Amino acid sequence: MLQDCTMAVQVKVPTILRPQTGGSKTVEASGDTLDAVLKDVDAKHEGLRARLVDDEGKLHRFVNIYVDDEDVRFNGSLDAPVGENSTVTILPAVAGG
Amino acid sequence: MRFESLVDSVGNTPLVGLPQLSPSPEVRLWAKLEQNNPTGSVKDRPALFMVAQAEKDGLLFPGATVLEPTSGNTGISLAMVCAQKGYRLVCVMPENTSEERRQLLRMWGAEIVSSPAAGGSNEAVAVAKRISAENPDWVMLYQYGNPANAQSHYETTGPEILADLPTITHFVAGLGTTGTLMGVGRYLREQVPDVKIVAAEPQYGDVVYGLRNVDEGFIPELYDPSVLTTRYSVDHRASLRRTRELVMQEGIFAGISTGAILHAALGIADREVAAGRKADICFVVCDGGWKYLSTGAYAGTLEEATASLEGQLWA
């Protein structure tokens, strides 16, 4: 895949949140923390951040966010570091078993 | 080894080394072979403990009906246990689970209520809760919130692993009900200073996350994140690739969720090698591959298998 010179963070968006991204499954953003990335996404796709982060600035209980497949709740939550070509994956919490 | 009956033979599974896939003599991988349980999965342990606890609580008697939401393995284990003890079993199972699971459940005498594919196990839990409310005399064991689930691993799986691998540094298992990780994790944390407890969570295709809104999400009541060191999400392509590596290189024919767990374990192994540390990484083989043959997981190229698994509830 051809890339721009500027590296972008890929943000994977689940089906239920795609109305916020005009139907896009993946959006590009920049930022060196999850918080910065989500704010950058929100600048282009207003309303996405409000579905993920509550009024107190905490991640929504039933949303899991992964930076390069690691759950951010174990790495600083919104302060989790994001590399310049990282992938951020947003998923609703589902059961197994 | 001799046992009074099949249910008495649950547990005491082998722990085997992975000489080909371990990166070095200092960083070694160890597989806990839970497919060696009577119905072929790790779920025999919680099934047995949950039924025993319900019996102790006076909830079960011959002819009683047990109800359980399950994507398969727990149902199969319960079906075997309930058949031995004379209980009727009704399983609520998402419709996008493998055909083998349905056949096995019926073979052991369980009745199946199908729940919609969209929403995966969340929907099975919701349907089971509705059925439970309509049938107050039925006993829903409810693996997601039943402490006996985690307790089975605290009392059996954890001690078995530590006895076989006193030098354990990492424990890696799948995150479904969270019972394995909570039970083994708590036990090992009490016994082994600094042990790392790592969850590998299956990342499904879009349909499984097809909730109507975020508030329909589900977190098992058993889940306590403070037991975990970290948690990884592993998609079905990586899981399939590792499932195939496990059988080709080590001869272990495992189900697809085990591939996800192995993927996380190998990631840890690489980091330990890079950091120059010694590590003994134990991971759980949840079940054998037999129940997933019809999904196409083991046939054709990795791309073909990945495509055929899209939308399936494979863990």
Side-chain angles (χ1 to χ4, degrees):
Chain A
M1 200 166 75
L2 286 171
Q3 291 264 339
D4 261 33
C5 304
T6 32
M7 289 294 198
V9 177
Q10 304 290 317
V11 182
K12 289 159 93 177
V13 181
T15 322
I16 38 170
L17 296 178
R18 285 180 207 156
Q20 261 75 33
T21 61
S24 294
K25 198 172 175 168
T26 306
V27 295
E28 291 194 346
S30 61
D32 57 4
T33 64
L34 177 61
D35 196 37
V37 168
L38 292 182
K39 281 176 175 154
D40 189 51
V41 172
D42 212 51
K44 298 166 198 154
H45 305 283
E46 211 191 321
L48 186 71
R49 193 173 185 278
R51 302 284 301 276
L52 307 174
V53 182
D54 66 20
D55 296 340
E56 293 167 17
K58 278 195 186 150
L59 281 181
H60 188 295
R61 180 170 145 76
F62 291 129
V63 170
N64 295 325
I65 303 183
Y66 307 84
V67 174
D68 296 327
D69 295 328
E70 185 166 15
D71 187 337
V72 297
R73 284 193 174 92
F74 295 91
N75 200 18
S77 279
L78 285 167
D79 296 328
V82 178
E84 56 186 15
N85 45 8
S86 285
T87 300
V88 173
T89 306
I90 304 166
L91 289 173
V94 299
Chain B
M1 268 173 290
R2 169 174 153 168
F3 301 96
E4 283 301 307
S5 76
L6 188 66
V7 293
D8 297 301
S9 74
V10 169
N12 285 309
T13 53
L15 185 74
V16 301
L18 267 51
Q20 308 301 322
L21 288 170
S22 295
S24 78
E26 283 73 42
V27 175
R28 293 182 298 175
L29 293 168
W30 301 89
K32 180 73 169 157
L33 301 185
E34 289 298 301
Q35 75 271 45
N36 282 34
N37 280 303
T39 74
S41 90
V42 64
K43 299 295 190 181
D44 283 353
R45 297 176 191 261
L48 197 60
F49 267 63
M50 289 193 297
V51 167
Q53 187 60 48
E55 286 171 339
K56 263 184 236 162
D57 295 342
L59 297 170
L60 290 175
F61 49 88
T65 298
V66 172
L67 171 71
E68 187 64 15
T70 171
S71 57
N73 278 338
T74 303
I76 291 165
S77 298
L78 282 173
M80 182 274 286
V81 176
C82 288
Q84 296 308 302
K85 290 171 175 272
Y87 310 134
R88 174 184 172 222
L89 175 67
V90 178
C91 290
V92 182
M93 194 157 81
E95 61 191 2
N96 50 340
T97 46
S98 77
E99 177 56 27
E100 288 93 327
R101 299 191 194 195
R102 286 165 191 279
Q103 290 189 18
L104 287 164
L105 275 171
R106 290 198 188 98
M107 182 188 79
W108 263 295
E111 294 159 47
I112 303 170
V113 175
S114 288
S115 60
S121 294
N122 290 26
E123 203 56 37
V125 169
V127 170
K129 284 180 172 168
R130 264 201 308 276
I131 294 173
S132 176
E134 289 159 9
N135 298 274
D137 55 325
W138 292 10
V139 179
M140 182 157 76
L141 296 170
Y142 194 59
Q143 55 176 334
Y144 301 99
N146 190 329
N149 172 359
Q151 191 65 19
S152 71
H153 296 292
Y154 182 89
E155 288 184 25
T156 69
T157 325
E160 287 171 29
I161 289 168
L162 187 60
D164 289 337
L165 191 65
T167 52
I168 186 170
T169 56
H170 298 75
F171 174 71
V172 192
L175 194 76
T177 69
T178 79
T180 312
L181 282 156
M182 295 301 108
V184 176
R186 281 196 186 106
Y187 177 79
L188 289 177
R189 281 187 181 279
E190 286 170 11
Q191 305 289 329
V192 183
D194 257 358
V195 69
K196 307 284 189 287
I197 308 296
V198 177
E201 180 186 13
Q203 190 180 123
Y204 294 112
D206 282 342
V207 65
V208 176
Y209 299 99
L211 315 179
R212 281 172 291 272
N213 64 68
V214 173
D215 293 312
E216 285 184 354
F218 178 76
I219 300 166
E221 288 82 347
L222 291 178
Y223 183 55
D224 172 3
S226 74
V227 176
L228 301 184
T229 307
T230 192
R231 170 172 168 174
Y232 294 101
S233 174
V234 185
D235 66 22
H236 56 290
R237 190 176 195 283
S239 304
L240 281 169
R241 183 160 67 90
R242 299 305 192 182
T243 305
R244 290 176 172 207
E245 284 178 14
L246 190 58
V247 68
M248 282 187 290
Q249 299 201 39
E250 303 284 357
I252 299 171
F253 177 45
I256 307 153
S257 62
T258 300
I261 298 166
L262 176 60
H263 185 72
L266 285 167
I268 292 161
D270 283 346
R271 276 196 293 276
E272 294 303 298
V273 169
R277 286 189 288 258
K278 281 188 156 197
D280 276 312
I281 302 160
C282 171
F283 72 98
V284 173
V285 175
C286 311
D287 61 2
W290 304 103
K291 287 192 294 285
Y292 310 92
L293 286 171
S294 74
T295 65
Y298 308 88
T301 64
L302 188 58
E303 278 62 38
E304 288 163 353
T306 303
S308 73
L309 216 60
E310 179 70 35
Q312 295 283 312
L313 208 59
W314 47 265

Short mmCIF file of all heavy atoms in Angstrom, two decimals, chain B residues 175-222:
data_model
loop_
_atom_site.label_atom_id
_atom_site.label_comp_id
_atom_site.label_asym_id
_atom_site.label_seq_id
_atom_site.Cartn_x
_atom_site.Cartn_y
_atom_site.Cartn_z
N LEU B 175 -9.82 -14.81 26.97
CA LEU B 175 -10.77 -14.04 27.77
C LEU B 175 -12.17 -14.23 27.17
O LEU B 175 -12.48 -13.69 26.12
CB LEU B 175 -10.38 -12.56 27.73
CG LEU B 175 -11.04 -11.66 28.75
CD1 LEU B 175 -10.44 -11.85 30.12
CD2 LEU B 175 -10.89 -10.21 28.32
N GLY B 176 -12.97 -15.04 27.84
CA GLY B 176 -14.36 -15.24 27.40
C GLY B 176 -15.26 -14.92 28.56
O GLY B 176 -15.72 -13.79 28.73
N THR B 177 -15.44 -15.92 29.43
CA THR B 177 -16.16 -15.65 30.68
C THR B 177 -15.23 -14.96 31.67
O THR B 177 -15.68 -14.43 32.66
CB THR B 177 -16.66 -16.95 31.34
OG1 THR B 177 -15.53 -17.69 31.82
CG2 THR B 177 -17.45 -17.78 30.35
N THR B 178 -13.95 -15.03 31.41
CA THR B 178 -12.84 -14.57 32.27
C THR B 178 -12.53 -15.54 33.42
O THR B 178 -11.62 -15.28 34.21
CB THR B 178 -13.05 -13.13 32.85
OG1 THR B 178 -13.95 -13.18 33.97
CG2 THR B 178 -13.58 -12.16 31.82
N GLY B 179 -13.24 -16.66 33.50
CA GLY B 179 -13.08 -17.59 34.61
C GLY B 179 -11.68 -18.17 34.72
O GLY B 179 -11.11 -18.24 35.82
N THR B 180 -11.09 -18.60 33.60
CA THR B 180 -9.74 -19.18 33.64
C THR B 180 -8.73 -18.16 34.16
O THR B 180 -7.93 -18.45 35.05
CB THR B 180 -9.29 -19.65 32.23
OG1 THR B 180 -10.34 -20.42 31.63
CG2 THR B 180 -8.03 -20.48 32.30
N LEU B 181 -8.78 -16.95 33.59
CA LEU B 181 -7.81 -15.92 33.97
C LEU B 181 -8.00 -15.45 35.40
O LEU B 181 -7.03 -15.22 36.13
CB LEU B 181 -7.89 -14.74 33.00
CG LEU B 181 -7.19 -15.01 31.67
CD1 LEU B 181 -7.74 -14.13 30.57
CD2 LEU B 181 -5.68 -14.80 31.81
N MET B 182 -9.25 -15.31 35.83
CA MET B 182 -9.48 -14.86 37.21
C MET B 182 -9.03 -15.92 38.21
O MET B 182 -8.36 -15.62 39.19
CB MET B 182 -10.98 -14.55 37.41
CG MET B 182 -11.50 -13.37 36.59
SD MET B 182 -10.62 -11.83 36.94
CE MET B 182 -9.67 -11.61 35.44
N GLY B 183 -9.39 -17.19 37.95
CA GLY B 183 -9.06 -18.26 38.90
C GLY B 183 -7.58 -18.57 38.94
O GLY B 183 -6.95 -18.53 40.00
N VAL B 184 -7.00 -18.88 37.78
CA VAL B 184 -5.57 -19.19 37.73
C VAL B 184 -4.76 -17.95 38.12
O VAL B 184 -3.78 -18.03 38.85
CB VAL B 184 -5.14 -19.69 36.32
CG1 VAL B 184 -3.64 -19.91 36.27
CG2 VAL B 184 -5.88 -20.97 35.96
N GLY B 185 -5.19 -16.80 37.61
CA GLY B 185 -4.48 -15.54 37.88
C GLY B 185 -4.39 -15.26 39.37
O GLY B 185 -3.32 -14.95 39.90
N ARG B 186 -5.51 -15.36 40.08
CA ARG B 186 -5.50 -15.09 41.53
C ARG B 186 -4.60 -16.08 42.25
O ARG B 186 -3.82 -15.71 43.12
CB ARG B 186 -6.91 -15.19 42.10
CG ARG B 186 -7.72 -13.96 41.82
CD ARG B 186 -8.98 -13.88 42.69
NE ARG B 186 -9.75 -12.74 42.26
CZ ARG B 186 -10.88 -12.83 41.55
NH1 ARG B 186 -11.37 -14.00 41.24
NH2 ARG B 186 -11.50 -11.74 41.14
N TYR B 187 -4.70 -17.36 41.86
CA TYR B 187 -3.89 -18.38 42.53
C TYR B 187 -2.40 -18.09 42.32
O TYR B 187 -1.62 -18.08 43.28
CB TYR B 187 -4.24 -19.77 42.01
CG TYR B 187 -3.38 -20.84 42.62
CD1 TYR B 187 -3.64 -21.32 43.90
CD2 TYR B 187 -2.25 -21.33 41.95
CE1 TYR B 187 -2.81 -22.25 44.50
CE2 TYR B 187 -1.43 -22.28 42.53
CZ TYR B 187 -1.71 -22.74 43.80
OH TYR B 187 -0.89 -23.67 44.40
N LEU B 188 -2.02 -17.85 41.07
CA LEU B 188 -0.59 -17.64 40.79
C LEU B 188 -0.07 -16.37 41.45
O LEU B 188 1.06 -16.33 41.95
CB LEU B 188 -0.34 -17.61 39.28
CG LEU B 188 -0.49 -18.95 38.55
CD1 LEU B 188 -0.29 -18.76 37.05
CD2 LEU B 188 0.48 -20.00 39.08
N ARG B 189 -0.88 -15.31 41.46
CA ARG B 189 -0.43 -14.06 42.10
C ARG B 189 -0.16 -14.25 43.59
O ARG B 189 0.74 -13.63 44.16
CB ARG B 189 -1.45 -12.96 41.89
CG ARG B 189 -1.36 -12.33 40.50
CD ARG B 189 -2.28 -11.13 40.39
NE ARG B 189 -2.24 -10.53 39.06
CZ ARG B 189 -1.29 -9.68 38.65
NH1 ARG B 189 -0.31 -9.36 39.48
NH2 ARG B 189 -1.33 -9.18 37.44
N GLU B 190 -0.94 -15.14 44.22
CA GLU B 190 -0.70 -15.43 45.65
C GLU B 190 0.59 -16.22 45.85
O GLU B 190 1.24 -16.11 46.89
CB GLU B 190 -1.85 -16.26 46.22
CG GLU B 190 -3.13 -15.46 46.43
CD GLU B 190 -4.32 -16.36 46.76
OE1 GLU B 190 -4.11 -17.58 47.04
OE2 GLU B 190 -5.44 -15.86 46.72
N GLN B 191 0.95 -17.03 44.86
CA GLN B 191 2.05 -17.98 45.04
C GLN B 191 3.37 -17.52 44.42
O GLN B 191 4.43 -17.95 44.84
CB GLN B 191 1.68 -19.34 44.40
CG GLN B 191 0.38 -19.94 44.91
CD GLN B 191 0.49 -20.44 46.33
OE1 GLN B 191 1.55 -20.89 46.76
NE2 GLN B 191 -0.60 -20.35 47.08
N VAL B 192 3.28 -16.72 43.34
CA VAL B 192 4.48 -16.38 42.56
C VAL B 192 4.63 -14.86 42.48
O VAL B 192 3.88 -14.20 41.76
CB VAL B 192 4.38 -16.95 41.12
CG1 VAL B 192 5.66 -16.67 40.34
CG2 VAL B 192 4.06 -18.44 41.15
N PRO B 193 5.57 -14.29 43.23
CA PRO B 193 5.74 -12.84 43.15
C PRO B 193 6.07 -12.43 41.72
O PRO B 193 6.83 -13.13 41.04
CB PRO B 193 6.94 -12.57 44.07
CG PRO B 193 7.23 -13.83 44.79
CD PRO B 193 6.59 -14.95 44.05
N ASP B 194 5.44 -11.35 41.25
CA ASP B 194 5.79 -10.78 39.94
C ASP B 194 5.32 -11.57 38.73
O ASP B 194 5.71 -11.28 37.61
CB ASP B 194 7.32 -10.62 39.82
CG ASP B 194 7.71 -9.17 40.01
OD1 ASP B 194 6.80 -8.35 40.19
OD2 ASP B 194 8.92 -8.89 39.97
N VAL B 195 4.50 -12.61 38.94
CA VAL B 195 4.00 -13.35 37.78
C VAL B 195 3.13 -12.42 36.93
O VAL B 195 2.44 -11.53 37.45
CB VAL B 195 3.22 -14.61 38.22
CG1 VAL B 195 1.89 -14.25 38.89
CG2 VAL B 195 3.00 -15.57 37.06
N LYS B 196 3.20 -12.60 35.61
CA LYS B 196 2.40 -11.77 34.69
C LYS B 196 1.21 -12.58 34.20
O LYS B 196 1.37 -13.73 33.76
CB LYS B 196 3.25 -11.32 33.50
CG LYS B 196 4.56 -10.64 33.89
CD LYS B 196 4.34 -9.22 34.36
CE LYS B 196 5.64 -8.45 34.54
NZ LYS B 196 6.42 -8.87 35.73
N ILE B 197 0.03 -11.99 34.28
CA ILE B 197 -1.20 -12.66 33.87
C ILE B 197 -1.74 -11.93 32.63
O ILE B 197 -2.07 -10.74 32.71
CB ILE B 197 -2.26 -12.61 35.00
CG1 ILE B 197 -1.67 -13.13 36.33
CG2 ILE B 197 -3.51 -13.39 34.59
CD1 ILE B 197 -1.25 -14.60 36.33
N VAL B 198 -1.75 -12.63 31.51
CA VAL B 198 -2.03 -11.97 30.23
C VAL B 198 -3.26 -12.57 29.55
O VAL B 198 -3.37 -13.79 29.40
CB VAL B 198 -0.81 -12.10 29.29
CG1 VAL B 198 -1.09 -11.48 27.93
CG2 VAL B 198 0.42 -11.46 29.93
N ALA B 199 -4.18 -11.71 29.15
CA ALA B 199 -5.40 -12.14 28.47
C ALA B 199 -5.26 -11.99 26.96
O ALA B 199 -4.73 -10.99 26.48
CB ALA B 199 -6.59 -11.30 28.95
N ALA B 200 -5.73 -12.99 26.22
CA ALA B 200 -5.84 -12.89 24.77
C ALA B 200 -7.33 -12.96 24.42
O ALA B 200 -8.01 -13.93 24.74
CB ALA B 200 -5.08 -14.03 24.09
N GLU B 201 -7.80 -11.90 23.80
CA GLU B 201 -9.23 -11.78 23.54
C GLU B 201 -9.47 -11.92 22.04
O GLU B 201 -8.79 -11.27 21.25
CB GLU B 201 -9.65 -10.40 24.02
CG GLU B 201 -11.08 -10.07 23.84
CD GLU B 201 -11.33 -8.61 24.24
OE1 GLU B 201 -10.36 -7.85 24.39
OE2 GLU B 201 -12.48 -8.26 24.37
N PRO B 202 -10.40 -12.78 21.65
CA PRO B 202 -10.64 -12.93 20.21
C PRO B 202 -11.24 -11.65 19.61
O PRO B 202 -12.12 -11.04 20.21
CB PRO B 202 -11.65 -14.07 20.13
CG PRO B 202 -12.30 -14.14 21.47
CD PRO B 202 -11.29 -13.64 22.45
N GLN B 203 -10.71 -11.25 18.45
CA GLN B 203 -11.28 -10.11 17.73
C GLN B 203 -12.04 -10.65 16.53
O GLN B 203 -11.46 -11.21 15.60
CB GLN B 203 -10.17 -9.16 17.27
CG GLN B 203 -10.69 -7.85 16.74
CD GLN B 203 -9.55 -6.94 16.28
OE1 GLN B 203 -9.52 -6.52 15.13
NE2 GLN B 203 -8.62 -6.63 17.17
N TYR B 204 -13.36 -10.54 16.58
CA TYR B 204 -14.22 -11.17 15.58
C TYR B 204 -14.46 -10.25 14.39
O TYR B 204 -14.00 -9.11 14.35
CB TYR B 204 -15.57 -11.51 16.20
CG TYR B 204 -15.50 -12.57 17.29
CD1 TYR B 204 -15.76 -12.25 18.61
CD2 TYR B 204 -15.19 -13.89 16.97
CE1 TYR B 204 -15.71 -13.22 19.60
CE2 TYR B 204 -15.14 -14.86 17.96
CZ TYR B 204 -15.40 -14.52 19.27
OH TYR B 204 -15.35 -15.48 20.24
N GLY B 205 -15.22 -10.75 13.42
CA GLY B 205 -15.66 -9.92 12.31
C GLY B 205 -16.79 -9.01 12.77
O GLY B 205 -17.31 -9.13 13.88
N ASP B 206 -17.17 -8.08 11.89
CA ASP B 206 -18.14 -7.03 12.23
C ASP B 206 -19.46 -7.56 12.79
O ASP B 206 -20.04 -6.98 13.70
CB ASP B 206 -18.46 -6.18 11.01
CG ASP B 206 -17.36 -5.18 10.73
OD1 ASP B 206 -16.56 -4.92 11.65
OD2 ASP B 206 -17.31 -4.65 9.60
N VAL B 207 -19.94 -8.69 12.25
CA VAL B 207 -21.29 -9.14 12.60
C VAL B 207 -21.44 -9.41 14.09
O VAL B 207 -22.47 -9.13 14.71
CB VAL B 207 -21.73 -10.36 11.75
CG1 VAL B 207 -20.88 -11.59 12.06
CG2 VAL B 207 -23.19 -10.70 11.99
N VAL B 208 -20.36 -9.93 14.70
CA VAL B 208 -20.42 -10.27 16.13
C VAL B 208 -20.53 -9.00 16.98
O VAL B 208 -21.10 -9.02 18.08
CB VAL B 208 -19.19 -11.11 16.53
CG1 VAL B 208 -19.17 -11.40 18.03
CG2 VAL B 208 -19.17 -12.42 15.75
N TYR B 209 -20.01 -7.88 16.44
CA TYR B 209 -20.10 -6.62 17.18
C TYR B 209 -21.33 -5.82 16.75
O TYR B 209 -21.42 -4.63 16.97
CB TYR B 209 -18.84 -5.80 16.98
CG TYR B 209 -17.60 -6.51 17.48
CD1 TYR B 209 -16.75 -7.18 16.60
CD2 TYR B 209 -17.29 -6.53 18.83
CE1 TYR B 209 -15.63 -7.85 17.05
CE2 TYR B 209 -16.17 -7.19 19.30
CZ TYR B 209 -15.34 -7.85 18.41
OH TYR B 209 -14.24 -8.52 18.85
N GLY B 210 -22.26 -6.52 16.10
CA GLY B 210 -23.43 -5.84 15.54
C GLY B 210 -24.47 -5.49 16.58
O GLY B 210 -25.63 -5.89 16.48
N LEU B 211 -24.07 -4.77 17.61
CA LEU B 211 -25.01 -4.33 18.64
C LEU B 211 -25.76 -3.11 18.10
O LEU B 211 -25.30 -2.44 17.21
CB LEU B 211 -24.27 -3.95 19.93
CG LEU B 211 -23.18 -4.90 20.41
CD1 LEU B 211 -22.54 -4.35 21.68
CD2 LEU B 211 -23.74 -6.29 20.65
N ARG B 212 -26.92 -2.86 18.70
CA ARG B 212 -27.68 -1.69 18.26
C ARG B 212 -27.09 -0.42 18.83
O ARG B 212 -27.12 0.63 18.23
CB ARG B 212 -29.15 -1.84 18.61
CG ARG B 212 -29.89 -2.76 17.64
CD ARG B 212 -31.29 -3.05 18.11
NE ARG B 212 -31.30 -3.89 19.30
CZ ARG B 212 -31.30 -5.23 19.28
NH1 ARG B 212 -31.31 -5.88 18.11
NH2 ARG B 212 -31.31 -5.92 20.39
N ASN B 213 -26.52 -0.51 20.02
CA ASN B 213 -25.80 0.64 20.56
C ASN B 213 -24.77 0.17 21.59
O ASN B 213 -24.80 -0.98 22.02
CB ASN B 213 -26.77 1.68 21.16
CG ASN B 213 -27.53 1.10 22.34
OD1 ASN B 213 -26.94 0.82 23.39
ND2 ASN B 213 -28.82 0.90 22.17
N VAL B 214 -23.89 1.09 21.94
CA VAL B 214 -22.76 0.73 22.79
C VAL B 214 -23.23 0.24 24.17
O VAL B 214 -22.59 -0.59 24.79
CB VAL B 214 -21.81 1.94 22.93
CG1 VAL B 214 -20.71 1.65 23.94
CG2 VAL B 214 -21.19 2.26 21.58
N ASP B 215 -24.37 0.74 24.61
CA ASP B 215 -24.84 0.35 25.94
C ASP B 215 -25.30 -1.10 26.01
O ASP B 215 -25.59 -1.60 27.10
CB ASP B 215 -25.96 1.29 26.40
CG ASP B 215 -25.41 2.69 26.63
OD1 ASP B 215 -24.38 2.80 27.31
OD2 ASP B 215 -26.00 3.65 26.10
N GLU B 216 -25.38 -1.78 24.87
CA GLU B 216 -25.68 -3.21 24.88
C GLU B 216 -24.44 -4.05 25.10
O GLU B 216 -24.50 -5.27 25.05
CB GLU B 216 -26.31 -3.63 23.54
CG GLU B 216 -27.74 -3.18 23.39
CD GLU B 216 -28.34 -3.69 22.09
OE1 GLU B 216 -27.62 -4.28 21.28
OE2 GLU B 216 -29.54 -3.48 21.92
N GLY B 217 -23.30 -3.42 25.33
CA GLY B 217 -22.06 -4.15 25.57
C GLY B 217 -22.19 -5.02 26.81
O GLY B 217 -23.12 -4.88 27.60
N PHE B 218 -21.25 -5.93 26.96
CA PHE B 218 -21.35 -6.89 28.06
C PHE B 218 -19.98 -7.15 28.67
O PHE B 218 -19.01 -7.40 27.96
CB PHE B 218 -21.94 -8.20 27.54
CG PHE B 218 -22.05 -9.27 28.60
CD1 PHE B 218 -23.06 -9.23 29.54
CD2 PHE B 218 -21.14 -10.32 28.65
CE1 PHE B 218 -23.16 -10.20 30.53
CE2 PHE B 218 -21.23 -11.30 29.63
CZ PHE B 218 -22.25 -11.24 30.57
N ILE B 219 -19.91 -7.06 29.97
CA ILE B 219 -18.69 -7.42 30.70
C ILE B 219 -19.08 -8.47 31.73
O ILE B 219 -19.98 -8.24 32.53
CB ILE B 219 -18.09 -6.19 31.43
CG1 ILE B 219 -17.73 -5.10 30.42
CG2 ILE B 219 -16.85 -6.59 32.23
CD1 ILE B 219 -17.46 -3.75 31.04
N PRO B 220 -18.47 -9.66 31.67
CA PRO B 220 -18.84 -10.71 32.63
C PRO B 220 -18.69 -10.20 34.07
O PRO B 220 -17.73 -9.50 34.39
CB PRO B 220 -17.84 -11.83 32.35
CG PRO B 220 -17.40 -11.60 30.95
CD PRO B 220 -17.41 -10.11 30.76
N GLU B 221 -19.63 -10.56 34.92
CA GLU B 221 -19.59 -10.13 36.32
C GLU B 221 -18.33 -10.64 37.02
O GLU B 221 -17.87 -10.05 38.00
CB GLU B 221 -20.84 -10.63 37.05
CG GLU B 221 -22.12 -9.91 36.66
CD GLU B 221 -22.77 -10.44 35.37
OE1 GLU B 221 -22.10 -11.20 34.64
OE2 GLU B 221 -23.93 -10.07 35.11
N LEU B 222 -17.77 -11.74 36.54
CA LEU B 222 -16.57 -12.31 37.16
C LEU B 222 -15.32 -11.46 36.91
O LEU B 222 -14.32 -11.60 37.61
CB LEU B 222 -16.29 -13.72 36.60
CG LEU B 222 -17.24 -14.85 36.96
CD1 LEU B 222 -16.79 -16.14 36.25
CD2 LEU B 222 -17.27 -15.07 38.47
#
